[in-house]
Amino acid sequence: MNKTRLEAFSDGVIAIIITIMVLEMKVPHGADWEALKPLWPVLLSYVLSFVYVGIYWNNHHHLLHAVHKINGGVLWPNLHLLFWLSLLPFATGWMGENHFAPLPVAVYGGVLVMAALAWVVLQRALTCIPGNNTALAQALGRDWKGKLSPVVYIASIALAFVHVGLSLAGYAVVALLWLIPDRRIEHHLNSHGE
């Protein structure tokens, strides 16, 4: 099966997710700095979510570049990932509009943890395809960031009901871990001349 359609579809969905997030931001009624003050939670939520969507798009590109073929067993895991990413605009808007209230911050973390788990499922589906398994498994290695991320998300969900600032810091730390693209795949491909 050709992976081009899967990449094109995923890129389109991710572009729509970003578009929805930016369209959810309301223009302030005023032309001074004071008019922007109440919007800072919305803007901060958008920036964090934009970074997350960018991270997933970037790593999705690298992941699919590393595989030689896909099959029907990859389509549903890919849709599973896109489903959770498509909920980011809702969670982002709810969190920002409610000025980081505990429940919306926890729900935001729930979307992030489910997207992270969907990412793992997609990786596993791709490594199960004959011809992909050895190279991709070697490129992924131990994946300490992939294992640490859900743990930090779950802790941050619980922290949302104790101290929202610590919860948001947990989400930001995971984003910072992934901000630099996952070089394992690129390094492996370059070292094997692919």
Side-chain angles (χ1 to χ4, degrees):
M1 208 179 228
N2 190 323
K3 61 185 179 178
T4 307
R5 284 194 70 209
L6 181 73
E7 288 176 300
F9 177 76
S10 300
D11 287 350
V13 171
I14 289 170
I16 290 168
I17 290 168
I18 290 173
T19 303
I20 291 169
M21 285 192 313
V22 77
L23 290 176
E24 287 293 315
M25 295 188 340
K26 306 295 182 236
V27 176
H29 299 289
D32 57 0
W33 291 110
E34 227 20 66
L36 289 174
K37 212 172 187 180
L39 298 178
W40 77 265
V42 173
L43 182 60
L44 186 61
S45 298
Y46 170 77
V47 169
L48 183 62
S49 293
F50 184 90
V51 167
Y52 267 111
V53 172
I55 288 166
Y56 274 103
W57 174 77
N58 198 330
N59 285 314
H60 190 271
H61 168 76
H62 280 87
L63 185 66
L64 289 180
H65 184 71
V67 298
H68 300 290
K69 54 188 168 181
I70 62 165
N71 63 21
V74 171
L75 300 179
W76 282 109
N78 193 68
L79 281 172
H80 182 229
L81 172 65
L82 294 175
F83 170 77
W84 290 108
L85 292 179
S86 74
L87 289 178
L88 264 178
F90 168 77
T92 300
W94 194 29
M95 184 171 71
E97 289 291 329
N98 290 289
H99 296 251
F100 303 112
L103 183 59
V105 171
V107 168
Y108 184 82
V111 171
L112 292 177
V113 77
M114 293 307 294
L117 296 174
W119 178 258
V120 171
V121 170
L122 178 60
Q123 284 180 330
R124 298 268 188 262
L126 287 167
T127 56
C128 287
I129 299 171
N132 290 343
N133 53 357
T134 306
L136 187 58
Q138 287 175 352
L140 293 173
R142 290 192 201 136
D143 194 22
W144 68 270
K145 290 194 297 188
K147 292 174 182 162
L148 178 64
S149 299
V151 173
V152 174
Y153 290 146
I154 291 168
S156 296
I157 291 167
L159 281 170
F161 299 103
V162 177
H163 192 285
V164 170
L166 292 175
S167 178
L168 292 170
Y171 302 149
V173 164
V174 175
L176 287 173
L177 282 175
W178 289 97
L179 197 55
I180 296 172
D182 196 342
R183 300 273 188 231
R184 295 170 301 169
I185 294 172
E186 198 170 295
H187 175 72
H188 183 78
L189 292 174
N190 289 338
S191 66
H192 289 84
E194 294 181 33

